[in-house]
Amino acid sequence: MSDVVTLSRKGHVALVTLNRPEARNAISPEMLVRLADAWTEVRDDPDIRVAVVTGAGDQAFCSGADLGRLIPLMSRARPPEDDWDRRLLADREILGRGLLRTFDVVKPVVAAINGHAIAGGMELAQGTDLRVASDAARLGVQEAKWAIFPGGGSTVRLPQQIPYARAMELLLTGDLITAAEALELGFLNRVTPPADVLPTALDLAERIAANGPIAVQAIRRSARACLGRPEGEAMHIESEMAAPVFRTEDAREGPLAFMQKRKPIFQGR
């Protein structure tokens, strides 16, 4: 049986794939644990500068939690049946790490939303930095329809990432929106035909990976840390993030390469 999450590399870009197409890439306990492990590997591998996350198949990026496996386990409606179940119950931080809810990968993450992103799938997308979606995709958080809570970060992130009133409409009705609507709301960066989703996401990732990795990580960290802060406080955070970047070897290499009209060679130091 194939792994339900795969991680591959091309240059400085890692590709994380949710691999349960027969179940519309629904999040099982095993998938959640393997996702958590994949994000840890992305964070800890200095050769990885950017990650892309996508779903296998052409129907769904991720349809959310496996209602027959994950939710009953978490609610204790069923006992643990294998090592994946037991590991998840023993370490509740796996949930936040797998869905990028409480875990900082440090590197930018690009979502290649090849199909529907619903419930936990939409929440995983909210934890990414850039998003490319199929024009056939539908997105939303439907937990309220099933009397459960969107606990993967949606009540915190969605009102920050799209206008408040639209966020509340999605959260409280559980309705889905089209990729075109999500693009208009600013939730997505690109909407493409299905065949172009992954190539477009990988192109974005490779363009980012070609930049100075220390600068990229500091820019990302500053932008996230400054969200919602008063301007004066945010400017202070930005200054603290910026100063170390200017003392790196890469910061000397970039301007030198520009003056010499050549491509810079960044070492990440």
Side-chain angles (χ1 to χ4, degrees):
M1 184 172 62
S2 299
D3 289 345
V4 298
V5 174
T6 64
L7 191 156
S8 59
R9 294 171 176 79
K10 180 182 178 183
H12 293 296
V13 176
L15 176 61
V16 177
T17 304
L18 284 61
N19 190 31
R20 294 185 74 207
E22 74 287 351
R24 299 172 66 83
N25 297 319
I27 303 170
S28 65
E30 180 184 357
M31 177 182 280
L32 193 55
V33 172
R34 288 185 181 272
L35 264 177
D37 289 345
W39 294 130
T40 301
E41 186 171 347
V42 167
R43 181 196 65 184
D44 293 345
D45 187 339
D47 201 45
I48 295 174
R49 296 182 181 178
V50 186
V52 174
V53 59
T54 193
D58 58 4
Q59 296 298 309
F61 170 70
C62 175
S63 59
D66 186 325
L67 298 182
R69 298 290 301 165
L70 181 60
I71 298 301
L73 178 69
M74 300 300 288
S75 66
R76 302 303 175 104
R78 74 169 180 87
E81 300 169 5
D82 56 28
D83 288 344
W84 303 108
D85 289 356
R86 285 184 281 273
R87 186 175 163 196
L88 179 57
L89 291 179
D91 183 0
R92 289 305 181 97
E93 291 185 4
I94 286 173
L95 176 63
R97 191 158 77 246
L99 291 180
L100 297 177
R101 181 179 184 269
T102 56
F103 183 75
D104 187 3
V105 185
V106 179
K107 292 83 178 272
V109 180
V110 182
I113 303 172
N114 54 298
H116 296 348
I118 300 171
M122 176 67 157
E123 294 185 312
L124 177 59
Q126 290 171 46
T128 65
D129 301 292
L130 290 86
R131 301 150 196 163
V132 178
S134 161
D135 56 17
R138 300 292 182 271
L139 303 91
V141 280
Q142 293 195 305
E143 281 85 347
K145 287 183 178 292
W146 316 118
I148 54 180
F149 190 94
S154 285
T155 63
V156 176
R157 285 174 166 160
L158 203 56
Q160 292 180 336
Q161 296 183 5
I162 66 174
Y164 176 83
R166 291 304 308 275
M168 295 308 296
E169 182 179 348
L170 292 179
L171 288 165
L172 299 178
T173 66
D175 291 344
L176 303 180
I177 57 174
T178 66
E181 290 173 306
L183 179 67
E184 184 178 358
L185 289 170
F187 186 77
L188 300 174
N189 296 82
R190 310 274 194 282
V191 173
T192 74
D196 295 337
V197 172
L198 186 56
T200 301
L202 288 170
D203 177 68
L204 281 170
E206 287 165 0
R207 286 158 54 194
I208 295 168
N211 295 335
I214 296 175
V216 165
Q217 291 173 27
I219 290 166
R220 176 185 178 275
R221 189 163 59 249
S222 179
R224 286 182 166 228
C226 292
L227 276 175
R229 305 266 189 172
E231 184 174 294
E233 182 181 344
M235 291 296 186
H236 178 71
I237 292 171
E238 183 186 68
S239 295
E240 289 188 332
M241 300 286 187
V245 175
F246 287 99
R247 296 193 291 269
T248 64
E249 292 180 23
D250 284 353
R252 293 191 290 273
E253 164 66 7
L256 180 63
F258 176 81
M259 295 301 294
Q260 295 177 348
K261 296 181 171 55
R262 61 174 175 82
K263 185 177 180 180
I265 301 172
F266 297 124
Q267 303 293 336
R269 57 177 185 261

Coordinates of all heavy atoms in Angstrom, one line a residue, residues 154-186:
S154 N -9.6 27.9 11.7 CA -10.4 28.7 10.8 C -11.0 29.9 11.5 O -11.2 31.0 10.9 CB -11.5 27.9 10.2 OG -11.0 27.1 9.2
T155 N -11.4 29.8 12.8 CA -12.1 30.9 13.5 C -11.1 32.0 13.8 O -11.5 33.2 14.0 CB -12.8 30.5 14.8 OG1 -11.8 30.0 15.7 CG2 -13.8 29.5 14.5
V156 N -9.8 31.7 13.7 CA -8.7 32.7 13.9 C -8.2 33.3 12.6 O -8.2 34.5 12.4 CB -7.6 32.1 14.7 CG1 -6.4 33.1 14.8 CG2 -8.0 31.6 16.1
R157 N -7.9 32.4 11.7 CA -7.3 32.8 10.4 C -8.2 33.3 9.4 O -7.8 34.3 8.7 CB -6.5 31.6 9.9 CG -5.2 31.3 10.7 CD -4.5 30.1 10.2 NE -3.1 30.0 10.7 CZ -2.4 28.9 10.7 NH1 -3.0 27.7 10.2 NH2 -1.2 28.9 11.2
L158 N -9.3 32.7 9.2 CA -10.2 33.1 8.1 C -10.6 34.6 8.2 O -10.6 35.3 7.1 CB -11.4 32.2 8.0 CG -12.0 32.1 6.6 CD1 -11.0 31.7 5.5 CD2 -13.2 31.1 6.6
P159 N -11.0 35.1 9.3 CA -11.4 36.5 9.4 C -10.2 37.4 9.2 O -10.3 38.6 8.9 CB -11.9 36.7 10.8 CG -12.4 35.3 11.2 CD -11.4 34.4 10.6
Q160 N -8.9 36.9 9.3 CA -7.7 37.7 9.0 C -7.4 37.7 7.5 O -6.9 38.6 7.0 CB -6.5 37.1 9.8 CG -6.6 37.3 11.3 CD -5.3 36.7 11.9 OE1 -4.7 35.9 11.4 NE2 -5.0 37.3 13.1
Q161 N -7.8 36.6 6.9 CA -7.3 36.4 5.5 C -8.3 36.8 4.4 O -7.9 37.0 3.3 CB -6.9 34.9 5.3 CG -5.8 34.5 6.2 CD -5.3 33.1 6.0 OE1 -5.8 32.3 5.1 NE2 -4.3 32.6 6.8
I162 N -9.6 36.9 4.8 CA -10.6 37.5 3.9 C -11.5 38.4 4.7 O -11.4 38.4 5.9 CB -11.5 36.4 3.2 CG1 -12.3 35.6 4.3 CG2 -10.6 35.4 2.5 CD1 -13.3 34.6 3.7
P163 N -12.3 39.3 4.1 CA -13.1 40.2 4.8 C -14.0 39.5 5.9 O -14.5 38.4 5.7 CB -14.0 40.9 3.7 CG -13.1 40.8 2.5 CD -12.4 39.5 2.6
Y164 N -14.1 40.2 7.0 CA -14.8 39.5 8.2 C -16.2 39.0 7.9 O -16.5 37.9 8.2 CB -14.9 40.6 9.3 CG -15.7 40.1 10.5 CD1 -15.0 39.3 11.5 CD2 -17.0 40.4 10.7 CE1 -15.7 38.8 12.6 CE2 -17.7 39.9 11.8 CZ -17.0 39.1 12.8 OH -17.7 38.7 13.9
A165 N -17.0 39.8 7.2 CA -18.4 39.4 7.0 C -18.4 38.1 6.1 O -19.3 37.2 6.3 CB -19.2 40.5 6.4
R166 N -17.6 38.1 5.1 CA -17.6 36.9 4.3 C -17.0 35.7 5.0 O -17.5 34.5 4.8 CB -16.7 37.1 3.0 CG -17.3 38.1 2.0 CD -18.8 37.7 1.6 NE -18.9 36.4 1.0 CZ -18.6 36.0 -0.2 NH1 -18.2 36.9 -1.1 NH2 -18.8 34.7 -0.6
A167 N -16.0 35.9 5.9 CA -15.5 34.8 6.7 C -16.6 34.2 7.6 O -16.7 33.0 7.7 CB -14.3 35.3 7.5
M168 N -17.3 35.1 8.2 CA -18.4 34.6 9.1 C -19.5 33.9 8.3 O -20.1 32.9 8.8 CB -19.0 35.8 9.9 CG -18.0 36.4 10.9 SD -17.1 35.3 12.0 CE -18.5 34.6 12.9
E169 N -19.8 34.4 7.1 CA -20.8 33.7 6.3 C -20.3 32.2 6.0 O -21.1 31.3 6.1 CB -21.0 34.4 5.0 CG -22.0 33.8 4.1 CD -22.3 34.6 2.8 OE1 -21.8 35.7 2.7 OE2 -22.9 34.1 1.9
L170 N -19.0 32.1 5.7 CA -18.5 30.8 5.4 C -18.5 29.9 6.6 O -18.9 28.7 6.6 CB -17.1 30.9 4.8 CG -17.0 31.5 3.4 CD1 -15.5 31.5 3.0 CD2 -17.8 30.7 2.4
L171 N -18.1 30.5 7.8 CA -18.0 29.7 9.0 C -19.3 29.2 9.5 O -19.5 28.1 10.0 CB -17.3 30.5 10.1 CG -15.7 30.7 9.9 CD1 -15.3 31.8 10.8 CD2 -15.0 29.4 10.2
L172 N -20.3 30.1 9.4 CA -21.6 29.9 10.1 C -22.6 29.1 9.2 O -23.4 28.4 9.7 CB -22.2 31.2 10.6 CG -21.4 31.9 11.6 CD1 -22.1 33.2 12.0 CD2 -21.1 31.0 12.9
T173 N -22.5 29.3 7.9 CA -23.4 28.6 7.0 C -22.8 27.2 6.5 O -23.5 26.3 6.2 CB -23.7 29.4 5.7 OG1 -22.5 29.5 4.9 CG2 -24.3 30.7 6.0
G174 N -21.5 27.2 6.5 CA -20.8 26.0 6.0 C -20.9 25.8 4.5 O -20.6 24.8 3.9
D175 N -21.3 26.9 3.8 CA -21.4 26.9 2.3 C -20.0 26.9 1.7 O -19.0 27.4 2.3 CB -22.2 28.1 1.8 CG -23.7 28.0 2.2 OD1 -24.1 26.9 2.6 OD2 -24.3 29.1 2.1
L176 N -19.9 26.4 0.5 CA -18.7 26.4 -0.3 C -18.7 27.6 -1.3 O -19.7 28.1 -1.7 CB -18.5 25.1 -1.0 CG -18.5 23.8 -0.2 CD1 -18.3 22.6 -1.1 CD2 -17.4 23.9 0.9
I177 N -17.5 28.0 -1.6 CA -17.3 29.1 -2.7 C -16.5 28.5 -3.8 O -15.7 27.6 -3.6 CB -16.7 30.4 -2.1 CG1 -15.3 30.1 -1.5 CG2 -17.6 31.0 -1.1 CD1 -14.6 31.4 -1.0
T178 N -16.6 29.1 -4.9 CA -15.8 28.7 -6.1 C -14.3 29.3 -5.9 O -14.1 30.2 -5.2 CB -16.4 29.2 -7.4 OG1 -16.3 30.6 -7.4 CG2 -17.8 28.8 -7.5
A179 N -13.4 28.7 -6.7 CA -12.1 29.2 -6.8 C -12.1 30.7 -7.2 O -11.3 31.5 -6.7 CB -11.2 28.4 -7.6
A180 N -12.9 31.0 -8.2 CA -13.0 32.4 -8.7 C -13.4 33.3 -7.6 O -12.9 34.4 -7.4 CB -14.0 32.5 -9.8
E181 N -14.4 32.9 -6.7 CA -14.8 33.8 -5.6 C -13.7 33.9 -4.6 O -13.4 35.0 -4.0 CB -16.0 33.2 -4.9 CG -17.3 33.3 -5.8 CD -18.4 32.5 -5.2 OE1 -18.3 31.3 -4.9 OE2 -19.5 33.1 -5.0
A182 N -12.9 32.8 -4.3 CA -11.8 32.8 -3.4 C -10.7 33.7 -3.9 O -10.1 34.4 -3.1 CB -11.3 31.4 -3.1
L183 N -10.5 33.7 -5.2 CA -9.5 34.6 -5.8 C -9.9 36.1 -5.6 O -9.1 36.9 -5.2 CB -9.3 34.3 -7.2 CG -8.3 35.2 -8.0 CD1 -6.9 34.9 -7.5 CD2 -8.4 34.9 -9.5
E184 N -11.2 36.4 -5.8 CA -11.7 37.7 -5.7 C -11.6 38.2 -4.2 O -11.3 39.4 -3.9 CB -13.1 37.8 -6.1 CG -13.7 39.2 -6.1 CD -15.2 39.2 -6.6 OE1 -15.7 38.2 -7.0 OE2 -15.8 40.3 -6.6
L185 N -11.7 37.3 -3.3 CA -11.6 37.6 -1.8 C -10.2 37.8 -1.4 O -9.9 38.2 -0.3 CB -12.3 36.6 -1.0 CG -13.8 36.5 -1.1 CD1 -14.4 35.3 -0.4 CD2 -14.4 37.8 -0.4
G186 N -9.2 37.4 -2.2 CA -7.8 37.5 -1.9 C -7.3 36.3 -1.2 O -6.1 36.3 -0.7

